[in-house]
Structure formats: C-alpha cells, structure tokens
Amino acid sequence: MRLRLRRSLVQTAALVTALALPLALTAPASATTSTDVTDVLANVFATQIKGGNVKKHLDKFQQIATANGGNRAAGSPGYDASLAYVQDKLRKAGYKTSTTDVEFPLDWEEASPSVLQQTAPVAKTYANPADFVTVISSSRGDVTAQVQVVDAVLPPPPVANTSTAGCEASDFAGFVPGRIALLQRGTCPFIDKATNAKAAGAAGVIFFNEGQPGRTDPLVFDIREWRFGFPIVMTSTAVGLELAAAPNTTVRLKVDAETEVGRTKNLIADSRWGKSGEIVAVGAHLDSVPEGAGINDNGSGSAAILETALKLAYVPTKYKVRFAWWGAEELGLLGSDQYVAGLSQAEKDKIRLYLNFDMIASPNDVTFLYDGDDSDAEGAPAGPAGSAQVEKRLESFYNKRKLPFEGTDFDGRSDYGAFIANGIPAGGIFTGAEGIKTPEQAARFGGTAGVAYDPCYHAACDGINNISAAALDRNSKAVGYATAYFAYDLKGIPDRNAATKALSRSAAPAAADHHHGEAAR
C-alpha cells in the first residue's frame, strides 16, 4: 500500500513538473515554440486519463441508479447521490466546490380552459381546441391588447419550415411594448421566439401554424419555460391570418394555469491555479432521464470530466479551469441555461471558451466534433469567434492518432447552447444518439450500419453495458487533452473580458472611476 502511494506521488510530481513547463518556456518572441510545447504536454496529460478509471466512475453511477429506482433524474435521490459522489471526489482532491440552484417544472395544469377572443374590429370568440390550444408550460395571465404581427411570411411560403418570424431580436424592431406578439411557426424553436418577444416587452404571445399542408391546425407542444410571465397559445393558420389581416386587431388572451416547480442543483468546481479573470469552462450534464441510469447519456461525459479534474487537481495551470456538472439538462437544458443567465455580463466575459461533453461512449459510436467554423455548411451557422479554434484543436488530437472524426452541427440539443447564445466560443465531442449509422460511417468507424449510434438512447437499457469501452478511453483522453491545452494556451480565442475592460476605460469619466473599476475585477 505504501509502495503504491509513493509511486502515485512520484508520478503526480513528475506530471506537475512537466505540465508547469509552458509557464516557464513561453517565449514572447516565438509563439510557434510555445504552441508546440503546449501541444506536446497536453498530449502527455492525455495519457494520464485512463478509460479504466473513467469506467470506475460509471460503475458508481450505475450502483447509485440501481439503489435509487433505476435512474439519476433531476430532483431524484439518484441525482442527489450522483452529485454527492462527484463532489466528494473533488473535495478530496482539493477543489473548492459550490452548487447553484436549478428550477424545473414538475407539473403544469390548467385550472380552467383558456380564452381567445377578438374584441376589435369585430367581436369573435375562438373555439378551444378547434381554433387554438394552450401552449403547455404557459404562465397564467389575462390580457386584452392590440395584436402586432412580427415578421411573418404572408401568405405562407410554399415550403414548410422556412419562416424565420421572431427568430432574431431584430425582428421586433418597432414592436410596441404591451402588445400581444403574433408569431408564425418556422425555422427556430418556439422558446427562442417567445424569449425575443419578452425582451421586446410583449404582454402575451400567440403562435400560429406556418400554413403548408400538414402545418395548418393548432399544434400542442410544451415550450418548457414557465417563467415568461405572460399567456401563450397556439392557433391554426386560418386564425393567425385572420388576426393578422385587419389593422389594430385587439384580442383578449387568458390562460388559467399553474406550474409546480421542482428544484435541483448544478455542481461547480474551479481549479486552484490560474488567472481568475480568464476561465476555461468544461461541462457535462449529470442527470439521466427517468427511464434509466443514463450511463452513456450522460454518465460518460460526467465521468470523463471528473477524471480529468482529478488528474489536473495539482497541476499549476496558466488559466483558471471551471468544471461544471449540469442538472436538469434532460428537462430542457435548464441547469446550464439558468447558470449562464445568472451570471453578470462581467462574469460571462471572463469565460474564454466552453467545452461540452455529452455522450462520448455510444456503443455504435461515431466521433462527432462540433462544427465551430460551419465548414460542413449545415444547420446552424458557425459558433462565436474562437469556436473554430476549439474544433481544430480537437481535430489535431484525433489526427495525431490517425483516428477518424466528423463534424456535427450546433443544433441546440446540449449545454453549449446558453454559452454560444452569449457569444462564448464552444466545442466538444459527441458520439451519437438516436441517429442511424450510415454504411459510409460503418466503413470508417466500425460498428453496424442501419443501427442507431445508441440503441438505448433515453431508454431503460442505458446501463453499464451500454458503452463502447474503446470510445470511452480515446474520447476521455481527448477531453483531458483539450482541457489541458486550453488551460495553458488561449491564442486565437477572443479576450472578451479585455474588450469589456477597454470599453470601460475609454468611457471612464475620471481616473478615480477607472481605478475603482480595476480594483473590482
């Protein structure tokens, strides 16, 4: 026992010495030398992340789920025990940990049917549910106000899912606060449209279906945000066009509903080293769906960043590393969304980049890297400036080992969403969920064509046997590599904090104010 302890201490000391070298060897005259050194030593660090050790954390998550009704869902004893396990490991490694509160909807219920009535220029009551339905999670409210159409395509476009009405804040230019926003269904999530409407001062939201065949009736859906503070309904295309047709249309919109709120927590751990104003954030969601233990989704990402944090605990890094285990991701990315929303702009600006690891050991895996530069030209545009550098850094890890990879779109399905929405560059690894592996992918990556990347996605069978050990090992090493690299080298990653400080200095009316701002950093 003593021999093993001594060997471990020697190895740790050697690693600390090696990885501290970039701080001493960084030469201002030669950025190339610095970058090469950082890459070499990040690769050295990656070798310390063993798939077998990551698997031990997954074994623990499985044990926790088995002892707690078979899952680790947000708000459940299984989730609380998972958080306690990770927190205990981090504290023993010397991290100072903290938690942040996360709210999520437990139950939403209408006390009485919602009401939609046109009061001007004519009086008309619309039928529920033939003409309109309440949007699930809508807040309670009773509003009579003028309707204002926002950027709708009228008549509806011939091709479905093409209207961008309300998708951008700029769509609401000229919107009169206090009115009810009339928004056409289209390309972006309903929650984005409603969020933009709230920012513009809307007193309510009426969605209407886009208008193509199969997209004309009222659509029942859950917007998954219960805190807008105004009523929200969805109408047929015909009702939407009727409300949009007459000028100065006024309606009464009433929703009588309540949401029962549950609570859980995010877990945050900052490295003891590094500049406090320069943060590399690394995250994974810790919760499972209620149906299963969530070992691949997302015990795999959670375990990989835990092992990385443990190995990095005693390594002096140039920049602060912030590890985060998100709660309630499976309920709509709530943990990461609420965390970022709760940060001041100054605190957001300190986060130089965000690395996201959600499902990294799918049994029929493909190594997908988030397409930070939009080189695939699919779906969402490129991520914020610096995202391309994150993608290229991960590519270098796989290229060095002659391992294949593909790009994947920032489709908004994981915790990077809140970060890129706030201008923070992001990237990460994903090995596939319910999507089907193509023959071309099977030829490159192995596995079985015509089968889902994870056949147990969001199912009870997502247990300890639902992982690829090879994928877990190589992708955990990539997690360690990227984390260690950016902990020393942020060249190419915009310094948003510096830009904010420069703006503050240029606007400072007096030296005394400038001094105060500097002291407050």
Side-chain angles (χ1 to χ4, degrees):
M1 182 175 180
R2 289 178 181 173
L3 179 60
R4 284 198 296 271
L5 176 60
R6 182 176 180 181
R7 183 180 298 121
S8 176
L9 289 173
V10 169
Q11 291 172 342
T12 300
L15 183 62
V16 167
T17 301
L19 285 174
L21 283 175
L23 296 176
L25 295 181
T26 299
S30 177
T32 303
T33 301
S34 175
T35 301
D36 289 343
V37 169
T38 307
D39 177 66
V40 168
L41 295 178
N43 275 294
V44 170
F45 180 80
T47 66
Q48 304 301 306
I49 311 299
K50 311 290 188 184
N53 290 336
V54 179
K55 171 66 161 47
K56 291 177 183 177
H57 302 311
L58 293 182
D59 290 336
K60 183 62 178 181
F61 289 150
Q62 179 64 69
Q63 292 168 16
I64 288 170
T66 301
N68 289 279
N71 70 73
R72 301 181 303 105
S76 73
Y79 179 82
D80 294 343
S82 298
L83 188 147
Y85 168 75
V86 175
Q87 190 170 38
D88 180 64
K89 288 286 187 182
L90 293 167
R91 285 175 172 171
K92 287 179 178 176
Y95 283 93
K96 182 178 180 180
T97 66
S98 61
T99 59
T100 64
D101 292 334
V102 182
E103 293 185 339
F104 61 92
L106 280 173
D107 185 47
W108 177 87
E109 185 175 1
E110 287 189 276
S112 62
S114 53
V115 174
L116 180 61
Q117 298 171 323
Q118 185 179 164
T119 62
V122 298
K124 183 173 184 178
T125 298
Y126 296 100
N128 182 351
D131 295 326
F132 79 100
V133 294
T134 313
V135 170
I136 298 170
S137 297
S138 169
S139 302
R140 178 194 300 272
D142 190 345
V143 180
T144 299
Q146 189 173 322
V147 168
Q148 184 166 341
V149 185
V150 177
D151 199 36
V153 181
L154 303 177
V159 179
N161 203 32
T162 56
S163 172
T164 62
C167 292
E168 304 291 338
S170 58
D171 293 343
F172 290 83
F175 186 86
V176 178
R179 289 183 178 177
I180 296 171
L182 183 61
L183 301 170
Q184 186 178 28
R185 182 185 182 186
T187 58
C188 68
F190 290 107
I191 191 171
D192 293 352
K193 297 171 183 281
T195 299
N196 289 330
K198 180 176 181 178
V205 165
I206 299 173
F207 293 113
F208 66 97
N209 218 335
E210 193 173 13
Q212 299 82 18
R215 292 167 72 91
T216 59
D217 294 334
L219 175 70
V220 178
F221 69 94
D222 188 346
I223 201 165
R224 292 188 176 274
E225 174 53 72
W226 65 102
R227 298 168 301 177
F228 282 119
F230 50 59
I232 309 175
V233 299
M234 173 80 171
T235 77
S236 66
T237 305
V239 170
L241 294 176
E242 184 175 320
L243 296 177
N248 305 319
T249 300
T250 301
V251 302
R252 180 191 179 204
L253 173 59
K254 177 187 175 184
V255 171
D256 183 14
E258 284 290 341
T259 298
E260 182 184 356
V261 176
R263 289 172 176 79
T264 188
K265 293 183 181 297
N266 296 319
L267 176 62
I268 309 295
D270 280 0
S271 63
R272 69 181 74 189
W273 317 101
K275 301 176 182 178
S276 59
E278 308 284 347
I279 297 170
V280 174
V282 183
H285 77 86
L286 185 56
D287 61 315
S288 74
V289 293
E291 289 76 13
I295 297 305
N296 183 41
D297 183 16
N298 181 41
S300 60
S302 290
I305 71 168
L306 173 58
E307 187 63 19
T308 296
L310 297 179
K311 287 293 186 290
L312 202 64
Y314 302 103
V315 178
T317 56
K318 183 175 182 180
Y319 303 107
K320 181 82 62 185
V321 181
R322 175 168 297 166
F323 294 96
W325 288 263
W326 308 118
E329 187 270 358
E330 298 291 5
L331 299 175
L333 314 177
L334 298 180
S336 54
D337 279 356
Q338 292 176 28
Y339 174 79
V340 175
L343 296 175
S344 67
Q345 188 59 52
E347 289 299 318
K348 291 174 187 175
D349 288 341
K350 291 178 183 178
I351 301 175
R352 297 289 299 275
L353 61 86
Y354 173 68
L355 302 175
N356 190 72
F357 302 107
D358 186 356
M359 301 179 67
I360 65 165
S362 303
N364 195 29
D365 68 298
V366 165
T367 302
F368 292 110
L369 306 180
Y370 289 112
D371 185 16
D373 59 2
D374 197 29
S375 55
D376 294 346
E378 293 184 5
S387 301
Q389 283 75 10
V390 177
E391 181 186 11
K392 286 178 171 55
R393 183 49 47 195
L394 284 165
E395 287 177 353
S396 73
F397 173 88
Y398 293 97
N399 280 329
K400 184 179 182 69
R401 292 157 178 79
K402 296 181 171 56
L403 295 171
F405 54 83
E406 288 185 12
T408 189
D409 188 38
F410 278 129
D411 59 7
R413 289 183 57 177
S414 196
D415 291 298
Y416 54 76
F419 291 88
I420 62 176
N422 282 274
I424 299 169
I429 303 166
F430 170 58
T431 52
E434 78 276 28
I436 304 300
K437 179 173 277 190
T438 67
E440 293 78 13
Q441 289 171 336
R444 292 187 68 207
F445 295 92
T448 307
V451 175
Y453 305 117
D454 182 354
C456 290
Y457 175 66
H458 283 190
C461 56
D462 186 11
I464 197 63
N465 296 318
N466 188 50
I467 58 168
S468 162
L472 183 70
D473 181 68
R474 68 173 175 269
N475 295 327
S476 294
K477 286 178 166 58
V479 172
Y481 168 82
T483 303
Y485 186 93
F486 288 117
Y488 287 107
D489 193 336
L490 289 172
K491 285 192 300 293
I493 308 298
D495 188 348
R496 299 176 326 120
N497 190 35
T500 299
K501 287 183 286 185
L503 183 62
S504 298
R505 286 195 292 269
S506 67
D513 290 338
H514 166 75
H515 176 77
H516 177 77
E518 290 293 296
R521 277 190 294 151

